[in-house]
Amino acid sequence: MWASTRRGRQTARRAAVAVTVAALTALTACGSDSGDKKDGADKAAQGDKASGGTAQLDFWGWNPAYEKAVSAFNASHPDIRVSYNKVEPGSKGGYAKMLAAVKANNAPCLAQMGYETLPSFLVEGALQDVDKEASAVKAKYSAGAWSQMSVAGKTYGIPVDTGPVAMFYRTDVFAKHNLTPPKTWDEFARQADTVHAADPSVAYSAFGGNDPWWYAGMAWQNGGSWFKPEGETWKVSMTEPGTQKVTQYWQQLLDKKAVSSDPTFTPDWYKRFGDGSVASYVGPVWFTALLEENAKDAAGKWAVAPMPQWDAGGKVTGNIGGSGTAVLKGCKNTKAAVAFADWMSSDPASLTTLVKDAGIYPAATAGATLDAMQQPSAYFGNAKIYDIFKDSAAQAPTGWQWGPTMTQVSADLTDRVGKAGAGNGKLADALTGVQGTTIKAIQDKGLKAAAG
């Protein structure tokens, strides 16, 4: 079996980094359906048609809102039956479970997958090329989101959402200090000094550095680019000038203790959003749902403003998060898999569910006109907050490239940047350290990697 041999894995990894169509075609051919020996259980799990002509698809993910979408799909599509199984979030064990299932030949057809993780799965030979089936629906999605589910022109799933960034702020705290949302990062820093000087118990904002994708989003806005395949070599640039500027900026705020360095997405972290001891947070659209859920008593006290700019008058944002529905290696019915994934990502009723229950920003361009996206939010003072995220989505630079060892990158960034943010070291040293461990991790996979 191709995926079970060391030689096959090495071939797949080299093919992925070379990013040539020919190599990726070979990669796909190695794991194609023809000639593979599957037992009956595998065939059912991976999308074969069961008796009665109904395609059976397993789908693993962790977004609770997907369960409603799957139920609605099954009710309206008698020829395809999707079974949704919730697993731990990707970085908490979900991805490891998926990779193990691929190697054991009992993986689901479909998997929720953060864009940052797709290249890592490709390097492991765990994805199914569905370019043929997906090309017909490509026009429904934003070019940037579609590119996140593709490598070298080959498509491995359907995008679901993106993570446009804006600034969340407490209206009561801002009013107390006669502040309006800052338009630039310089103004943001001055306001941080003002609030900290007036009341040291209040953090002007929350530093999200122990969330690796938050840090990437900040670098993304400033023109950063951490990974770039050149020939057969991965160039790793986590200390490039754009990221260095971001690093120096937040280091100064941390040194002054003007921003909170608490670990993100913990009960204590959310408590400060609820009691007003954190006055702002620059974060993604999906944070709206988390804030509503974890700081219910602060309803009506939070508002959303555009992301601050490095240059006055600038209109450049970043992206934090976003995911797609990937088709895993061994899926026996890629046509049905793509049909479901496309439906979940583009059907108006499905998108309405995902917007209301999960706070997503749809990757499908038609999603911007959904009624759910036009409605005022009671939690955010009856403001139409999606108007701001719509502008932000259009202002994020395209072309950001993720690397082939993002699980390792995530763990190392969380550890080193988290410690530096808490005062145990400097952010610049943390980024330099993660760049080094990342280059080694890529090389340990038998691939070429270098700084630059």
Side-chain angles (χ1 to χ4, degrees):
M1 184 64 200
W2 173 85
S4 66
T5 67
R6 179 179 177 81
R7 184 177 180 182
R9 289 196 293 272
Q10 293 290 338
T11 299
R13 290 166 180 164
R14 291 188 183 282
V17 72
V19 289
T20 63
V21 173
L24 287 169
T25 300
L27 174 86
T28 302
C30 286
S32 64
D33 296 336
S34 61
D36 282 354
K37 295 179 180 179
K38 308 289 186 185
D39 60 29
D42 285 348
K43 289 180 179 179
Q46 294 172 356
D48 259 1
K49 285 202 170 186
S51 60
T54 300
Q56 304 285 334
L57 303 173
D58 276 354
F59 177 21
W60 289 4
W62 53 89
N63 190 325
Y66 284 8
E67 199 160 17
K68 286 185 180 179
V70 168
S71 295
F73 178 85
N74 286 337
S76 58
H77 294 75
D79 56 333
I80 303 174
R81 181 75 182 179
V82 181
S83 296
Y84 183 60
N85 297 299
K86 283 191 285 187
V87 298
E88 290 294 313
S91 62
K92 304 295 185 184
Y95 292 144
K97 183 175 182 177
M98 293 170 188
L99 286 172
V102 170
K103 292 178 180 177
N105 297 323
N106 59 10
C109 255
L110 297 157
Q112 180 179 352
M113 190 167 294
Y115 296 139
E116 78 288 340
T117 301
L118 192 84
S120 299
F121 268 60
L122 181 58
V123 166
E124 296 296 336
L127 298 178
Q128 187 84 34
D129 170 17
V130 294
D131 201 52
K132 179 181 177 181
E133 296 86 348
S135 60
V137 302
K138 179 179 179 180
K140 294 182 182 180
Y141 301 92
S142 70
W146 191 265
S147 71
Q148 295 288 308
M149 294 302 291
S150 307
V151 178
K154 296 293 183 182
T155 306
Y156 299 96
I158 301 296
V160 175
D161 67 312
T162 63
V165 180
M167 179 174 173
F168 299 81
Y169 67 99
R170 287 275 302 216
T171 55
D172 53 343
V173 178
F174 271 54
K176 179 181 179 181
H177 297 285
N178 296 316
L179 302 176
T180 57
K183 290 183 171 55
T184 67
W185 285 112
D186 284 343
E187 189 179 359
F188 183 99
R190 290 194 296 272
Q191 291 189 358
D193 290 340
T194 297
V195 171
H196 181 65
D199 186 353
S201 69
V202 176
Y204 174 72
S205 191
F207 172 69
N210 74 317
D211 171 8
W213 313 139
W214 181 92
Y215 213 100
M218 297 299 110
W220 191 324
Q221 183 200 24
N222 202 32
S225 179
W226 288 358
F227 298 93
K228 183 180 181 181
E230 288 187 0
E232 293 189 353
T233 300
W234 281 98
K235 291 297 184 67
V236 183
S237 305
M238 302 176 76
T239 58
E240 54 78 43
T243 303
Q244 283 187 17
K245 185 175 181 179
V246 170
T247 297
Q248 292 166 1
Y249 178 86
W250 284 97
Q251 184 67 64
Q252 292 177 359
L253 293 175
L254 288 166
D255 289 344
K256 295 177 181 177
K257 301 188 184 305
V259 296
S260 162
S261 61
D262 298 335
T264 53
F265 309 120
T266 63
D268 287 343
W269 192 69
Y270 285 120
K271 182 176 182 296
R272 300 194 65 177
F273 284 80
D275 64 22
S277 60
V278 164
S280 72
Y281 177 62
V282 180
V285 61
W286 44 265
F287 183 66
T288 58
L290 295 177
L291 188 58
E292 288 189 48
E293 178 182 349
N294 293 284
K296 292 184 174 67
D297 292 343
K301 296 180 179 177
W302 283 93
V304 180
M307 187 179 189
Q309 298 293 307
W310 288 107
D311 298 314
K315 292 184 178 180
V316 183
T317 61
N319 186 85
I320 301 173
S323 65
T325 307
V327 181
L328 297 184
K329 181 64 69 181
C331 180
K332 300 292 289 184
N333 194 332
T334 53
K335 182 178 179 179
V338 169
F340 163 73
D342 173 56
W343 182 92
M344 188 177 81
S345 291
S346 63
D347 180 82
S350 173
L351 287 179
T352 296
T353 295
L354 299 183
V355 169
K356 287 185 174 180
D357 290 4
I360 74 156
Y361 189 91
T365 53
T369 62
L370 284 173
D371 184 64
M373 303 276 282
Q374 319 302 321
Q375 298 303 312
S377 167
Y379 186 90
F380 291 98
N382 292 317
K384 294 183 177 180
I385 59 173
Y386 273 98
D387 289 349
I388 294 171
F389 290 110
K390 181 179 179 181
D391 290 341
S392 177
Q395 295 166 356
T398 59
W400 177 275
Q401 173 77 55
W402 297 105
T405 59
M406 296 313 297
T407 300
Q408 163 267 319
V409 173
S410 172
D412 286 357
L413 277 175
T414 299
D415 178 46
R416 296 187 182 228
V417 175
K419 288 178 179 175
N424 299 313
K426 297 296 183 183
L427 296 177
D429 294 335
L431 266 292
T432 299
V434 176
Q435 173 159 298
T437 58
T438 300
I439 290 172
K440 184 178 185 302
I442 296 173
Q443 292 172 340
D444 285 348
K445 288 185 173 295
L447 305 175
K448 295 179 180 178

